[in-house]
Amino acid sequence: MFADLKIDEIAPNPEQPRKFFDEEKHKELKGSIEENGLLQPVVVRPVEGAETPYMLIAGERRWRACKAIGENVISANILKDTDDETAYVLGIAENVGRENMTIMEEAGAYADLAAAGWDPLKIAKRFGKTETHIKWRLGLLTLRQEVSEMVDKGQIKPNLAWHIAQLNPGNQMVAATRYVRGDFDSEAEAQHFANGLKMMEKQTSLTGEQTPDAETQESRKAQKAKAKDGLGKAEEVLLPLLEELAEKKPEDLAVILGDDLTRHVKVIGKLYSQVQLVRNLLSKAQGIQRAMEADFNRKALEVQKEAEAAKSKGAEAEGKAEEEETASAEKKPDAEPVAKKTTAKPTAPRSKARPAANTTPRKATAQKKSEVKPVAKEPEAAPAK
């Protein structure tokens, strides 16, 4: 059922699969609606008991634009008897094929359906995608937040992002950062590097290999010399020949090669196929080599950090010991006064004895005074005649 609804009667869906709305695209849409009007109605469903009677199923960008330019009424397609899951599926269907839905939003939408019991095949059929596409999108959900943002910004393409998602969080940052800053000549090289890091994590024979014996070392030296000699000849002989042929015109080659032209076309075709195969193998080997180097550098950094931590811990312990020695040395002079005070305690009884010692002189003085008094006493005066 189509109707004109008040914009304030419609609320956005909190479960909207698309969370990011480009500001520039928003401005363009506002200008288009102001110029041409709303060409496609929004899709809503009634919600009983809610503060706003309708909820958006599809068309949130249009609803936002109309609201921003001051429209009070908007054309809407009202779908009745639509449950939450159906509304969510319709919302995904409207956005999944559009440029303004980010890769990670698409992956999150598929994940919500998977949580509701949808398998990848059912999701693929519903949205016209391949099952592999759905699985690869779901695989991106293990990316750490920083790498997810790089994917949403278009700095990392979905195919490479899936390979990076297979790594642990630390290696994800290593692979993503090196790719974004331009350490690789192609996306394929970055994929091979990510695969090499994965091999490091699994501790395959490439990383956990023991030191080879003398016979194996000699065999590897011989293989290296043979490969180096062969590639050197290709660089000296084959490459200049191909460059020379590439400069000629087709009509000239038809005359020069004559009856052997068909055979040479087959030879060059086989050569091209083998070169492509070898180039892919060498690129993978380069990725593994770079991953081994990155793994080695990481382990070396860990060892360095452990050594620095041990050194810092030792210095801290040494400093603490010096502080304790200094503190104990400072406490020793303070101990002597305490000892003197304890030895001074027996003097207390002496202070009590002092009055007893002084009583004798006092008595002697009193006796002297008593003895002097009779001498100082004058004779009684004679009676008057």
Side-chain angles (χ1 to χ4, degrees):
M1 183 179 70
F2 292 89
D4 289 335
L5 301 177
K6 292 181 179 179
I7 285 186
D8 293 339
E9 292 180 339
I10 303 172
N13 184 1
E15 302 299 328
Q16 158 74 269
R18 183 156 48 89
K19 306 299 180 185
F20 173 75
F21 295 90
D22 186 85
E23 186 62 29
E24 290 300 321
K25 297 289 185 182
H26 179 63
K27 290 179 181 178
E28 291 177 7
L29 183 57
K30 285 196 301 181
S32 175
I33 293 175
E34 285 178 325
E35 183 70 22
N36 307 306
L38 184 64
L39 301 179
Q40 182 181 2
V42 297
V43 181
V44 300
R45 64 181 176 120
V47 182
E48 296 181 2
E51 186 175 349
T52 50
Y54 298 96
M55 180 178 291
L56 278 169
I57 294 177
E60 184 169 340
R61 287 181 66 247
R62 282 164 274 156
W63 176 80
R64 285 170 175 259
C66 288
K67 192 172 184 179
I69 63 177
E71 294 287 343
N72 295 320
V73 177
I74 189 171
S75 298
N77 180 10
I78 304 173
L79 300 182
K80 296 182 178 180
D81 301 325
T82 303
D83 57 19
D84 292 341
E85 183 175 319
T86 303
Y88 188 74
V89 172
L90 291 173
I92 298 173
E94 195 224 9
N95 292 300
V96 75
R98 297 189 177 184
E99 293 181 358
N100 51 21
M101 187 177 194
T102 68
I103 295 170
M104 298 309 300
E105 287 174 346
E106 182 186 355
Y110 296 152
D112 288 340
L113 293 177
W118 290 47
D119 60 33
L121 181 59
K122 183 179 178 180
I123 297 173
K125 288 181 178 179
R126 180 64 180 81
F127 299 106
K129 306 291 183 179
T130 64
E131 186 177 3
T132 302
H133 176 90
I134 302 301
K135 288 181 177 179
W136 277 55
R137 285 294 186 270
L138 291 173
L140 298 179
L141 296 174
T142 58
L143 288 172
R144 56 187 294 168
Q145 182 64 30
E146 300 91 336
V147 183
S148 296
E149 292 175 359
M150 295 179 190
V151 176
D152 272 343
K153 291 176 182 177
Q155 295 174 308
I156 300 176
K157 294 181 180 178
N159 191 38
L160 174 59
W162 184 87
H163 288 275
I164 295 176
Q166 310 308 305
L167 304 173
N168 64 41
N171 281 335
Q172 284 183 17
M173 282 302 297
V174 172
T177 304
R178 291 192 59 172
Y179 176 73
V180 170
R181 75 185 183 192
D183 287 0
F184 307 106
D185 294 333
S186 65
E187 186 178 341
E189 283 190 9
Q191 288 180 17
H192 297 326
F193 176 71
N195 292 336
L197 289 176
K198 188 63 179 177
M199 296 176 74
M200 301 300 106
E201 292 177 3
K202 291 182 177 180
Q203 296 183 349
T204 60
S205 59
L206 286 172
T207 56
E209 185 178 21
Q210 297 179 352
T211 305
D213 54 28
E215 183 179 353
T216 304
Q217 290 182 6
E218 289 298 323
S219 175
R220 287 184 179 178
K221 286 181 180 179
Q223 292 175 8
K224 181 178 180 180
K226 183 179 179 181
K228 186 177 180 180
D229 182 58
L231 292 173
K233 289 179 179 178
E235 186 177 3
E236 293 174 4
V237 179
L238 184 59
L239 187 58
L241 174 61
L242 294 175
E243 289 175 347
E244 182 181 352
L245 291 173
E247 293 176 355
K248 297 186 180 298
K249 297 179 180 179
E251 53 268 27
D252 295 335
L253 290 174
V255 175
I256 294 170
L257 298 177
D259 296 338
D260 293 329
L261 180 58
T262 302
R263 183 172 64 85
H264 288 314
V265 170
K266 290 181 179 179
V267 170
I268 292 298
K270 291 181 180 179
L271 181 62
Y272 175 78
S273 177
Q274 290 300 314
V275 167
Q276 289 291 95
L277 176 61
V278 172
R279 185 183 183 282
N280 188 41
L281 289 173
L282 291 177
S283 180
K284 290 181 179 180
Q286 187 180 41
I288 293 171
Q289 188 181 64
R290 286 172 171 172
M292 292 174 69
E293 181 182 355
D295 186 62
F296 174 81
N297 291 338
R298 179 181 58 79
K299 290 178 179 177
L301 183 61
E302 289 177 356
V303 171
Q304 183 180 357
K305 286 182 178 179
E306 288 177 1
E308 291 176 354
K311 184 178 179 180
S312 176
K313 189 176 181 180
E316 184 180 350
E318 185 177 353
K320 190 175 181 181
E322 290 179 358
E323 290 178 0
E324 290 177 354
E325 289 179 2
T326 304
S328 60
E330 291 175 352
K331 287 180 180 179
K332 284 181 181 178
D334 296 335
E336 292 180 4
V338 176
K340 288 180 180 179
K341 289 178 181 179
T342 53
T343 54
K345 285 181 181 180
T347 58
R350 293 180 183 178
S351 61
K352 293 179 180 181
R354 281 176 187 172
N358 294 335
T359 52
T360 305
R362 287 176 182 175
K363 288 181 180 180
T365 306
Q367 289 175 358
K368 287 180 180 180
K369 287 181 179 180
S370 60
E371 292 174 356
V372 170
K373 283 180 181 179
V375 175
K377 198 174 183 181
E378 295 180 355
E380 294 180 359
K385 289 182 179 180

